[in-house]
């Protein structure tokens, strides 16, 4: 199946899952994870109206973004971000999904200010306490948000939370992970305000469950583009 056909099919599934949970498909942002994909694959989806693309390596992303500048696409950084790689984030990304420290936030904010832009940030939470994953532990979340708000950084806006489900997890484990993240978001909203509104969760193997558990952003690679 071509990526364009897969896009159609996935959008239908998102709509159906959204309806099952009393929501609207158009309120859920599908991010096409285009890491390791050639420009031509991105262009084909863009021609079908796909707006949001996700990359996990800074250099690869910057090269692609530069070449697709005329398209006015929206770029999401979804990989682990080392603080020495933050310099060009401000001029290239609209969203970064993997914030996990004040130090990183300061560097992103500087880059965004230099570029005269505001970057929207999600805090990555390692809900399943998987030692192989980045992200903060759930009990580190409120203290970190306190620190971030106190630092009052310009050029960034905290918008919500992100998590990665365990690869190979079944339905009940996946749902538990997603509903735990949703509950953390609701607590953030109560403590820190309504700007906490985004839940980035759900990938090729678990996105329908993620939608039913409240995802507002899905990060989908191989179900769109095929195996890499
Ligand atoms: C690669 C990647 C995805 C997409 O995964 P698929 O299984 O290909 O859909 C989503 N999120 C992150 C953080 C990734 O690195």
């Amino acid at each position: 199946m071509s990526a364009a056909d897969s896009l159609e099919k996935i959008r239908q599934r998102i709509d159906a899952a959204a309806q099952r949970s009393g929501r609207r498909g158009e309120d859920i942002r599908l991010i096409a994870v285009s890491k390791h994909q050639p420009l031509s694959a991105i262009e084909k989806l863009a021609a079908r109206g796909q707006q949001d693309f996700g990359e996990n390596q800074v250099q690869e992303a910057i090269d692609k973004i530069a070449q697709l500048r005329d398209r006015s696409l929206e770029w999401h950084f979804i990989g682990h971000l080392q603080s020495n790689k933050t310099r060009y984030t401000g001029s290239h990304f609209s969203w970064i999904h993997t914030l996990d420290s004040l130090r990183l936030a300061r560097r992103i904010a500087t880059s965004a200010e230099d570029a005269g832009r505001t970057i929207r940030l999600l805090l990555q939470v390692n809900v399943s306490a998987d030692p192989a994953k980045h992200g903060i532990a759930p009990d580190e979340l409120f203290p970190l948000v306190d620190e971030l708000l106190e630092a009052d950084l310009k050029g960034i806006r905290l918008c919500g939370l992100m998590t990665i489900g365990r690869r190979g997890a079944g339905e009940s484990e996946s749902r538990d992970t997603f509903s735990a993240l949703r509950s953390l978001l609701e607590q953030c909203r109560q403590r820190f305000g309504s700007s906490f509104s985004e839940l980035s969760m759900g990938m090729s193997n678990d996105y329908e469950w993620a939608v039913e558990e409240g995802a507002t952003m899905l990060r989908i690679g191989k179900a769109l583009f095929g195996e890499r």
Side-chain angles (χ1 to χ4, degrees):
M1 198 187 295
S2 73
D5 290 342
S6 299
L7 177 64
E8 187 78 6
K9 197 185 75 183
I10 290 167
R11 283 254 54 130
Q12 285 169 5
R13 290 194 171 170
I14 293 169
D15 286 347
Q19 273 171 25
R20 287 197 293 279
S21 51
R23 304 168 65 210
R24 300 186 316 168
E26 64 258 41
D27 295 335
I28 296 161
R29 196 189 287 243
L30 168 58
I31 300 164
V33 176
S34 50
K35 62 190 185 195
H36 315 317
Q37 296 294 335
L39 286 179
S40 58
I42 298 173
E43 283 175 322
K44 276 186 196 135
L45 285 192
R48 295 294 182 104
Q50 176 64 30
Q51 265 276 311
D52 293 88
F53 290 86
E55 291 282 335
N56 73 340
Q57 279 177 17
V58 174
Q59 192 55 53
E60 181 183 336
I62 286 175
D63 293 344
K64 287 175 173 170
I65 295 166
Q67 296 190 65
L68 294 166
R69 215 170 253 307
D70 302 341
R71 293 263 186 184
S72 73
L73 303 174
E74 189 142 2
W75 293 92
H76 299 248
F77 190 78
I78 62 168
H80 178 59
L81 190 54
Q82 292 163 299
S83 23
N84 62 353
K85 295 275 176 62
T86 50
R87 190 147 152 218
Y88 299 105
T89 53
S91 46
H92 290 77
F93 298 104
S94 304
W95 295 83
I96 292 175
H97 291 229
T98 50
L99 182 66
D100 61 2
S101 71
L102 176 59
R103 176 183 151 85
L104 191 55
R106 283 193 195 285
R107 287 181 162 256
I108 295 168
T110 302
S111 168
E113 271 211 283
D114 289 349
R117 300 192 1 173
T118 300
I119 305 193
R120 286 166 282 182
L121 300 180
L122 308 178
L123 287 140
Q124 182 177 357
V125 185
N126 188 355
V127 175
S128 50
D130 180 345
K133 284 204 198 90
H134 294 286
I136 55 169
D139 64 0
E140 295 171 321
L141 177 60
F142 300 152
L144 177 56
V145 176
D146 278 331
E147 277 187 319
L148 287 164
L149 294 177
E150 197 159 312
D152 193 25
L153 301 170
K154 305 289 176 274
I156 60 168
R157 188 180 311 145
L158 296 179
C159 294
L161 306 178
M162 175 272 213
T163 201
I164 304 175
R166 189 175 68 81
R167 187 177 285 275
E171 176 168 355
S172 75
E173 181 183 342
S174 299
R175 285 185 185 275
D176 284 352
T177 298
F178 297 148
S179 71
L181 194 72
R182 181 187 181 155
S183 157
L184 287 171
L185 184 80
E186 279 162 9
Q187 292 172 60
C188 280
R189 197 178 302 163
Q190 279 168 15
R191 292 174 81 111
F192 305 115
S194 59
S195 72
F196 281 84
S197 57
E198 301 289 341
L199 278 177
S200 167
M201 57 190 196
M203 306 171 31
S204 291
N205 294 327
D206 53 18
Y207 69 89
E208 289 167 279
W209 300 324
V211 169
E212 291 183 22
E213 299 297 339
T216 62
M217 294 179 157
L218 308 172
R219 310 177 309 267
I220 298 185
K222 64 179 186 296
L224 260 178
F225 295 106
E227 290 286 347
R228 284 177 294 265

